[in-house]
């Protein structure tokens, strides 16, 4: 397994000065906007699911969105949108790998 392919970006719902980002459902909203960006493109039955490239989650009671670098390869404008969202809202972004359960 190539370790670099397992790395993901974690956009955390904490600003650089330590404040919790609001609204509380920001991660679900962002992932919902990105839901049509997926391998093979959107299909008629994919309207009620998140993209595997942009998934909301909670880590240590902090709302996060896990963003796969594959999104950048699929659509650079979608990648820029997500990264600009994090930058414009002063959110903490970190790189980590997601381990299988």
């Amino acid at each position: 397994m190539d370790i670099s392919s397992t790395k993901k970006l974690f956009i955390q719902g904490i600003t650089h000065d330590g404040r919790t980002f609001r609204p509380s459902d920001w991660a679900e909203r962002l992932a919902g906007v990105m839901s049509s960006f997926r391998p093979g493109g959107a299909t008629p039955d994919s309207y009620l699911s998140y993209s595997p490239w942009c998934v909301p989650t909670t880590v240590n009671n902090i709302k996060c969105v896990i963003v796969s670098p594959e999104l950048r390869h699929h659509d650079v404008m979608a990648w820029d949108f997500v990264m600009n969202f994090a930058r414009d809202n002063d959110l903490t972004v970190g790189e980590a790998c997601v381990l299988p359960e």
Side-chain angles (χ1 to χ4, degrees):
M1 173 188 279
D2 179 15
I3 295 299
S4 63
S5 69
T6 63
K7 291 206 176 184
K8 309 286 184 199
L9 290 180
F10 283 70
I11 301 174
Q12 300 174 9
I14 298 289
T15 62
H16 285 100
D17 63 0
R19 290 180 295 121
T20 300
F21 184 65
R22 297 285 182 227
S24 61
D25 66 343
W26 72 270
E28 292 83 4
R29 290 183 187 198
L30 178 59
V33 168
M34 302 305 295
S35 66
S36 64
F37 297 95
R38 57 183 62 243
T43 61
D45 62 339
S46 65
Y47 65 95
L48 291 177
S49 64
Y50 294 118
S51 166
W53 295 332
C54 193
V55 181
T57 190
T58 302
V59 177
N60 295 329
N61 292 322
I62 298 171
K63 292 273 190 158
C64 299
V65 173
I66 303 172
V67 183
S68 171
E70 292 177 43
L71 178 61
R72 179 189 296 168
H73 301 297
H74 176 72
D75 190 313
V76 105
M77 289 176 61
W79 174 266
D80 288 344
F81 175 81
V82 172
M83 294 297 104
N84 287 334
F85 175 88
R87 186 193 72 230
D88 293 346
N89 290 291
D90 198 32
L91 298 177
T92 305
V93 178
E95 186 177 53
C97 61
V98 178
L99 300 174
E101 292 184 30

